[in-house]
Amino acid sequence: MMDLKDLVRPNIWALKPYSSARDEFHGSASVFLDANENPYNEPYNRYPDPLQWELKERIAELKDVDRNSIFLGNGSDEPIDLVIRAFCDPGIDTIVSIAPSYGMYEVASNVNNVDFRKVTLTPDFELDAEALLEEVDEWVKVIFLCSPNNPTGNSLNRDEIYKILKNFEGIVVLDEAYIDFSAEPSFLPELKKFPNLIVLQTLSKAWGAAGLRLGMAFASPEIIAILNKIKYPYNVNVLTQKQALDLLNNEGQMLEQLRRIMSERIRLQAALPELPIVHKMYPTDANFILVNVGKADSVYNKLVKKGVIVRNRNNVTLCNGCLRITVGTPEENDALLKALKSL
Ligand code: PMP
């Protein structure tokens, strides 16, 4: 990896972040007249803890990582944007990613006026590390990978991911939003070996809290310090911090929901290929299944008329004719199968 100082944009390296005086006095003071808050209206009259220490402590325990290796944001979309802003000079630097994949990497690059290059996966949705590394030149500062990948559902080949971690001098963001549904292990234990790795996870999928907006980035304390420096001071609100802590303290509930989703995934994987309209079903390590239905626009519109909404991925790279179907409750999945059968 390049020296972090040479990778970060110079203005960010030199940045003096906004600081609130509150944090250092927690526990040692009882009268807070420093932040122009209304003294009434508990529990959200006070600004939240800017660095979310209590929540991070629980996440550190759950994920077996150091607290200083965790960044928390308003969904994982926030660290996606912050990584680009920290490492890529607008109009100069470049990001490389894979196609098809999660759309926000490209949108966030465009918002930041950073050139975005996509390397198409192989026809069976595998990552070809050599092909990707061929796209790397001196302007490429960040590579975005996603495993299990959205919208294909498969986990990327681990050896190919290692090749990129070993051979790329910049930052590698590995988005593991769907890791809890996967049989493959997370790359979190690899953080110690690869100082250029940032792993993203979220409470939006297996933890069942998309509405709370809590995304997690895991990386070296040095990278985390840079993200903390440039985030908005109170990026995770009081209610989200509290609810997220309650959720994470109740891992059993998540595991029970995960068990149900996995068993419904197995049921859908058995039922979908039996339907004449399904030409092909792809393997999945996530809570969704990609199926080729031929005329995807028409099938999509017919499903909409029956009140069943899936994600139309027609015209997306390698996904022509495909719909991406989220695994729902048994009742929702029955409704989907019934609607597909009646087309
Ligand atoms: N990464 C991937 C691969 C996703 O599919 C999604 C959500 N669709 C996200 C990140 C965004 O997650 P969050 O809700 O944490 O912003």
Side-chain angles (χ1 to χ4, degrees):
M1 180 189 168
M2 271 169 72
D3 223 4
L4 198 58
K5 185 174 187 305
D6 298 323
L7 258 179
V8 178
R9 292 168 64 197
N11 60 311
I12 303 273
W13 189 261
L15 182 78
K16 209 174 160 301
Y18 176 84
S19 77
S20 74
R22 176 77 52 87
D23 219 29
E24 54 188 302
F25 299 113
H26 265 307
S28 66
S30 56
V31 179
F32 289 107
L33 301 175
D34 60 314
N36 306 341
E37 296 146 332
N38 174 337
Y40 310 108
N41 221 26
E42 285 275 341
Y44 42 69
N45 59 322
R46 300 290 175 188
Y47 283 104
D49 173 5
L51 290 173
Q52 312 103 8
W53 284 121
E54 203 183 351
L55 191 50
K56 281 181 185 166
E57 205 161 328
R58 176 66 186 130
I59 294 170
E61 183 182 55
L62 266 176
K63 303 282 176 183
D64 195 22
V65 296
D66 192 89
R67 258 192 348 175
N68 292 311
S69 285
I70 307 172
F71 171 90
L72 299 180
N74 185 357
S76 5
D77 289 339
E78 183 180 359
I80 289 170
D81 180 59
L82 290 184
V83 166
I84 297 173
R85 282 163 57 194
F87 294 102
C88 301
D89 262 319
I92 298 175
D93 289 326
T94 299
I95 287 170
V96 170
S97 189
I98 52 177
S101 195
Y102 180 45
M104 276 307 289
Y105 315 138
E106 185 164 12
V107 171
S109 300
N110 289 341
V111 167
N112 289 294
N113 191 25
V114 172
D115 186 32
F116 188 82
R117 270 180 224 160
K118 284 178 274 196
V119 178
T120 304
L121 296 173
T122 66
D124 54 353
F125 303 144
E126 263 311 335
L127 170 64
D128 177 347
E130 269 105 51
L132 188 142
L133 288 166
E134 264 175 37
E135 288 299 318
V136 171
D137 59 26
E138 60 181 305
W139 305 111
V140 178
K141 300 292 158 62
V142 178
I143 292 174
F144 277 94
L145 301 174
C146 183
S147 181
N149 188 33
N150 178 6
T152 57
N154 62 305
S155 298
L156 301 178
N157 184 300
R158 296 180 76 78
D159 291 337
E160 299 298 300
I161 297 176
Y162 280 117
K163 276 187 211 163
I164 289 172
L165 285 169
K166 282 181 192 150
N167 293 300
F168 179 55
E169 289 281 299
I171 300 289
V172 179
V173 179
L174 179 60
D175 188 342
E176 293 189 336
Y178 298 98
I179 192 69
D180 299 304
F181 305 103
S182 172
E184 291 283 332
S186 164
F187 268 74
L188 277 183
E190 305 299 318
L191 282 177
K192 289 202 175 68
K193 256 181 267 162
F194 298 102
N196 58 341
L197 173 62
I198 301 178
V199 174
L200 300 182
Q201 295 188 8
T202 178
L203 293 202
S204 296
K205 309 296 173 186
W207 285 95
L212 284 188
R213 310 307 300 132
L214 193 84
M216 305 171 273
F218 303 92
S220 71
E222 291 76 21
I223 290 179
I224 296 300
I226 290 164
L227 299 180
N228 281 334
K229 200 156 107 156
I230 65 176
K231 77 181 183 69
Y232 288 130
Y234 307 111
N235 61 328
V236 180
N237 72 67
V238 168
L239 300 180
T240 296
Q241 290 195 37
K242 162 93 179 59
Q243 289 290 324
L245 189 60
D246 287 352
L247 260 185
L248 293 165
N249 281 331
N250 195 354
E251 198 185 7
Q253 174 184 298
M254 182 277 279
L255 292 172
E256 169 55 24
Q257 293 172 3
L258 187 61
R259 195 191 58 73
R260 287 193 216 172
I261 293 167
M262 298 299 261
S263 102
E264 279 301 293
R265 185 174 85 182
I266 292 172
R267 186 166 78 92
L268 281 179
Q269 282 176 310
L272 286 167
E274 299 298 318
L275 302 174
I277 202 152
V278 173
H279 300 187
K280 180 165 180 169
M281 181 181 72
Y282 292 92
T284 182
D285 259 336
N287 66 333
F288 56 83
I289 304 173
L290 191 72
V291 290
N292 190 318
V293 293
K295 295 196 169 70
D297 291 344
S298 149
V299 175
Y300 173 81
N301 288 327
K302 287 179 188 163
L303 286 176
V304 169
K305 287 212 180 84
K306 292 174 183 291
V308 177
I309 313 297
V310 297
R311 189 84 157 118
N312 185 357
R313 297 287 76 187
N314 200 21
N315 301 326
V316 168
T317 311
L318 298 180
C319 294
N320 257 338
C322 287
L323 302 177
R324 191 195 69 193
I325 302 172
T326 305
V327 179
T329 64
E331 297 74 27
E332 289 170 331
N333 301 329
D334 281 342
L336 166 88
L337 291 170
K338 188 172 165 220
L340 282 173
K341 244 178 234 158
S342 70
L343 297 186

